[in-house]
Amino acid sequence: MNMKKYFEQGMMNLLEKKNIDSITVVEIIDEVGSCKGTFYNLYIDKYYLCCNCLEHNVYGAVSVQASSWKEFIMQCLGAFEKHAKVVLHAFDSKDVNSARRQHEKLTFEFLAKKYVANGGDPSSAINMITLKLYSEAVTEIIYKWLEGGCRESGEELYGLICAVIPQTVFKELREQIA
């Protein structure tokens, strides 16, 4: 196993117990049995490691090539539910490099691609801002769902996510949402 795998497994173990902001690089190094030099040779910071860890251990079941918004969201919810504590603790930070921001970016990229493919104007700043804000709202809804113990079904949560979609987005993506 290469060092990156050890660090990712160490991060998964720590995220099972506590949120990302309370995890220190020293704890990660101790968990893995490595040294600071090796850590910083591989990662910029703990957030970068966390994002890589989720990418390799959680997001594998999520495809940005999903054919619809519903498929994309249901893939996310399924993957997150399997690793609920880890994702909750990873999303517990609003740091600019956090996993939460990574998910917002992934969601935005998926929506923007669908929006443009359905005739939306990519040069419309207001529509791109709307997509970004909606992506943040979707991530917050998912975070609250994780925080509440994933009690609602994926279908129920998807319904809530669709209920708060801005009309400018809905008009362009109505076929994708159905």
Side-chain angles (χ1 to χ4, degrees):
M1 188 183 275
N2 68 30
M3 285 310 293
K4 286 186 176 189
K5 294 281 185 204
Y6 284 117
F7 277 111
E8 287 178 13
Q9 187 56 53
M11 179 59 83
M12 290 287 284
N13 294 342
L14 291 169
L15 286 170
E16 279 285 337
K17 302 172 207 161
K18 56 201 285 190
N19 73 46
I20 185 66
D21 284 339
S22 65
I23 296 171
T24 66
V25 171
V26 171
E27 284 178 290
I28 298 166
I29 291 166
D30 288 346
E31 180 77 21
V32 174
S34 187
C35 63
K36 279 187 181 181
T38 302
F39 176 86
Y40 286 111
N41 211 19
L42 297 170
Y43 304 102
I44 297 166
D45 59 21
K46 65 183 180 180
Y47 300 106
Y48 187 76
L49 167 59
C50 183
C51 290
N52 278 274
C53 176
L54 291 183
E55 183 178 324
H56 296 125
N57 296 288
V58 177
Y59 280 102
V62 178
S63 171
V64 292
Q65 303 302 321
S67 62
S68 71
W69 176 234
K70 183 174 186 175
E71 181 183 354
F72 174 77
I73 289 295
M74 296 307 279
Q75 287 176 359
C76 288
L77 297 178
F80 294 169
E81 192 169 18
K82 286 181 188 172
H83 304 281
K85 270 191 178 174
V86 169
V87 178
L88 174 67
H89 290 150
F91 277 23
D92 206 26
S93 176
K94 294 186 179 181
D95 186 88
V96 69
N97 297 319
S98 70
R100 180 188 198 108
R101 297 292 182 231
Q102 180 189 28
H103 184 274
E104 291 168 358
K105 181 179 180 227
L106 179 71
T107 302
F108 170 80
E109 289 171 354
F110 179 86
L111 285 168
K113 184 175 132 194
K114 293 293 183 185
Y115 175 78
V116 171
N118 284 305
D121 180 5
S123 66
S124 170
I126 192 68
N127 288 347
M128 291 299 115
I129 291 168
T130 301
L131 288 175
K132 183 179 182 315
L133 292 172
Y134 180 58
S135 298
E136 291 172 9
V138 167
T139 303
E140 182 65 20
I141 290 168
I142 292 171
Y143 175 77
K144 294 294 184 190
W145 174 69
L146 290 164
E147 193 175 50
C150 308
R151 285 191 303 266
E152 298 86 358
S153 71
E155 288 290 333
E156 290 171 319
L157 199 64
Y158 177 72
L160 177 60
I161 288 168
C162 287
V164 298
I165 193 166
Q167 287 302 305
T168 56
V169 176
F170 177 77
K171 287 177 189 172
E172 297 297 335
L173 299 177
R174 80 178 102 237
E175 285 82 38
Q176 298 295 321
I177 293 172

